[in-house]
Amino acid sequence: QEQLVESGGGLVQPGGSLRLSCVASGFDVDSYSIAWIRQAPGKERECVASIAWTGITEYYGESVKGRFTMFRDNAKSTITLQMNSLKTEDTAVYYCARNNREFGGPTAKVDDYDYWGQGTQVTVSS
């Protein structure tokens, strides 16, 4: 059964850093692009970053470009989001999600992702 499990969320002050991890199982992780998608209260879901199944191609949303870095270790079935220079507007529940096409590219469309983790809360506040 396909499963993604996130960890690493928490409370951090503005300007701080957090590292989110996603462990995938139940499918060939190295054949799928993975995304980090967030949802803040009262807002639509937003794809903040995605990475190709090869680990070579990445996408970053404009709101996080230059601050967030996504990478993956297929041997460990782990996908990581390093978040630096955090802002209050980064507060949201963060989900990792699997692209719905095997060997598909790292898209920015939320609807392109079919299996999601349970989410981890990130709160940026002083």
Side-chain angles (χ1 to χ4, degrees), residues 17 24 33 35 47 65 75 112 121-122:
S17 297
S33 296
C47 178
K65 200 172 289 185
D112 287 347
Q121 176 70 46
V122 171

Side-chain angles (χ1 to χ4, degrees), residues 4-68:
L4 300 112
V5 179
E6 305 95 336
S7 62
L11 173 64
V12 64
Q13 292 186 341
S17 297
L18 277 177
R19 175 172 288 199
L20 305 183
S21 293
C22 171
V23 178
S25 61
F27 62 97
D28 291 331
V29 176
D30 54 3
S31 299
Y32 287 88
S33 296
I34 302 291
W36 283 97
I37 296 168
R38 69 185 180 187
Q39 186 164 29
K43 294 188 176 181
E44 294 187 354
R45 294 174 298 176
E46 173 192 11
C47 178
V48 297
S50 57
I51 189 167
W53 54 278
T54 59
I56 296 176
T57 306
E58 303 160 357
Y59 159 83
Y60 294 98
E62 286 300 319
S63 62
V64 306
K65 200 172 289 185
R67 299 188 297 122
F68 290 11

